[in-house]
Amino acid sequence: MVKPWYKQFWPWFLIALPLCVVIASLTTFAIFSKNSVNLVAEDYYKKGKAISVDLSRVNAANGLKIKASVHTEENQIVIDFDKGELNHHPALNVIFTHRTLPNQDFQVLLSSDANGVYRHTLDKALTGPWFVELEPHTREWLVQGKVTFPSSSPTALSN
């Protein structure tokens, strides 16, 4: 006597293979739709044109011999700022840009202590690669560089 098809091994085996692929595809789609990565800017043309403007600001900082380095102390970001030929330590607009997560980008306005050190206390410590830009409120010059946090030793921002 022959068993009906639903009581045999091979039909279920052949149904299970494509079913596993469908489940894996749906799971992959759900993961990627919840965790999208924005690597390409929508206004790439405007950003490309702005590079030449940024280069003039970077050259202005180099001409003034302005230098800076960044490191962390627990949940504080510490910026050692060498004012070069500037008369005083200006208030700095510091922009932190994450490489792949634009929703984590932030900027702060910092003023220095007597030694030219700028400090900012964070709610939680930064981790991973960040792009840091320092500029005065007048936007006359720009010092920028890549920093990987946490960073106990100072990382020089190099134009």
Side-chain angles (χ1 to χ4, degrees), residues 59-80:
N59 291 336
N62 290 337
L64 292 169
K65 298 178 182 155
I66 298 171
K67 297 178 183 170
S69 63
V70 179
H71 68 278
T72 55
E73 294 175 358
E74 296 177 15
N75 64 337
Q76 270 194 348
I77 296 174
V78 180
I79 301 171
D80 296 314

Side-chain angles (χ1 to χ4, degrees), residues 8 34 37 45 48 53 61 69 82 97 113 127:
Q8 295 184 15
K34 289 180 183 176
V37 177
Y45 181 72
V53 174
S69 63
D82 179 3
T97 308
D113 62 11
T127 57

